Amino acid sequence: TMGEAEIFEVLRASLWTGVLMGLPILGVALLLGLVIGLVQALTSVQEMTITFVPKIIAVVVVFFLSIGYMTRVCLDLFNNMIIPMITG
């Protein structure tokens, strides 16, 4: 049986894997939001679609570009931690 320390270690590794998987998408959304906000402040154009549409497009593009990285990170967690704990 797994002890409390092992359970917390799996939880910690899983949360860190989630952070690593979401980092590219959240980073691009943050940077694009800052750039668009700066442009809106400089031009005094306050249209919601100007912020929403480019962010959605960028997030979708980055998702498809980084899906291999996210799969690799997730598989590393399973191959190095979860499967060895299951097999004993």
Side-chain angles (χ1 to χ4, degrees), residues 40-82:
Q40 282 185 327
L42 292 174
T43 61
S44 298
V45 175
Q46 298 298 323
E47 181 63 34
M48 285 303 295
T49 55
I50 293 174
T51 60
F52 186 71
V53 173
K55 262 197 230 180
I56 290 297
I57 292 170
V59 163
V60 169
V61 167
V62 169
F63 173 74
F64 282 112
L65 289 175
S66 65
I67 199 162
Y69 162 75
M70 290 189 276
T71 303
R72 210 168 37 251
V73 169
C74 191
L75 284 175
D76 284 345
L77 171 72
F78 277 94
N79 290 334
N80 297 330
M81 180 163 264
I82 305 296

Side-chain angles (χ1 to χ4, degrees), residues 6-9 11 17 23 26 28 33 38 42 47 63 66 71 79 83:
E6 289 88 6
I7 293 171
F8 283 127
E9 182 62 25
L11 181 61
T17 299
L23 200 60
L26 293 174
V28 166
L38 182 62
L42 292 174
E47 181 63 34
F63 173 74
S66 65
T71 303
N79 290 334
I83 292 176

